[in-house]
Amino acid sequence: RIRSYPGTSPRGFILNFQADGTLPEGLKQGIFQLTEAEKEEYRSICNNIRKVVLNTNEPYLSQLAADQLASFLIRLNQKQAVEEIVKSDRSESYHKIVSAMAKWVNENLTLSDFAEQQNISISYMKLLFLEYSGISPKTYYNQLRIQRAVSLLNQKRSIAEISEQMNFSSQNYFT
């Protein structure tokens, strides 16, 4: 059924259907962000469905409209699955870099060193850190190094000893 308040157009589309077999996970929630091209395709499918509903007394969609809609939903689900894999890969890359930074906190490594270890570009690493931590990778690594230095200071180690252990360029720079 197509419904809206008088004088307005429908802004959403609720679709109920029954499917044989197992429904893909992405379709269970059924909320998708559409690109402009997908919106246009969706409008076209909805117009076809509207024509069928308004021009016939059939309570069910025509087979063509049903096939178009099924194909569209399957493609959206596949796109969403690919996006989830990419997101998972980004998350894994971020966690690998963070682990490497924690492992090498006593070294004075550069962003290039970490990017090279993970086989990614520095700009991609910066995007990952902004997405997952909200700060730059350099700031994150410096904060780790400072936390480690504070921990060593709390153990009553000297400035010279900590500066050397943490591979700062000089004791003055560390101070």
Side-chain angles (χ1 to χ4, degrees), residues 2 7 43 65 67 74 76 94 105 111-113 126 138 168:
I2 298 174
R43 281 186 204 101
D67 289 346
I74 288 168
L76 283 180
Y94 170 76
V105 71
L111 294 185
S112 295
D113 296 327
K126 288 178 180 179
K138 184 67 175 168
F168 280 93

Side-chain angles (χ1 to χ4, degrees), residues 15-62:
L15 174 67
N16 293 315
F17 61 90
Q18 181 176 340
D20 294 331
T22 305
L23 191 63
E25 283 299 315
L27 289 179
K28 286 183 181 177
Q29 184 178 1
I31 300 172
F32 300 97
Q33 297 295 321
L34 304 180
T35 65
E36 287 304 315
E38 290 166 341
K39 287 177 186 177
E40 189 55 43
E41 182 179 0
Y42 181 68
R43 281 186 204 101
S44 174
I45 293 169
C46 289
N47 282 335
N48 290 342
I49 292 169
R50 184 174 178 270
K51 286 175 191 172
V52 169
V53 171
L54 294 177
N55 295 330
T56 68
N57 290 328
E58 288 292 321
Y60 302 104
L61 298 178
S62 72

